[in-house]
Amino acid sequence: MKEQFSKDYVKFQLKTANFIMSQNFAARCEEYENLFNQMASISPDDMKEYIQKSPTFLHARNKSLSLMEKIVSLHHSLKEIFELKEDELGLKYNYNLEKADKEIASKLHEAAYLLHEFEKVSKEGRKAIEIADSPFLSQAL
């Protein structure tokens, strides 16, 4: 089992290295983390006007922050898997690379879904800001 794992590990390393490079994984991780930090650093006072004018904005902001936090967490856990040495990966997945592949695929699928949801919620938030900023639109509501 360990012997086969060692043979397959080389292919696994090539596959993950190719994925990391082709998907610009490190830059994406940094981008998501920076975005989350920027979102989290905006004080409630800075958003007070929008919160008062539009409850939809507050909901969208909180939901998008929560989604981005999950996205960052998933990418951190993927990065940890990608950085495991052969013996660490073997122990973690009981020398079964199929388990590692399935976990990676599952995390990537979840991250893609959360990114899609993040885009939808962010769009709602932008629309709420647009309405709050427009005297004509806000009066029509």
Side-chain angles (χ1 to χ4, degrees), residues 8-76:
D8 293 342
Y9 178 77
V10 175
K11 295 175 197 166
F12 178 82
Q13 282 296 92
L14 286 172
K15 182 168 60 173
T16 56
N18 184 45
F19 171 81
I20 289 167
M21 190 178 78
S22 69
Q23 297 300 311
N24 209 1
F25 184 77
R28 283 185 185 206
C29 287
E30 189 176 329
E31 175 188 336
Y32 299 144
E33 198 164 323
N34 287 340
L35 182 56
F36 173 75
N37 290 334
Q38 287 172 3
M39 292 168 65
S41 70
I42 299 172
S43 75
D45 284 346
D46 293 339
M47 299 180 290
K48 188 167 47 176
E49 180 183 337
Y50 293 116
I51 293 169
Q52 289 171 349
K53 288 181 178 180
S54 175
T56 306
F57 168 77
L58 182 60
H59 172 75
R61 186 260 181 198
N62 290 341
K63 182 137 174 96
S64 64
L65 185 63
S66 173
L67 288 166
M68 188 50 66
E69 183 176 30
K70 290 174 187 170
I71 292 164
V72 168
S73 177
L74 280 167
H75 280 77
H76 275 281

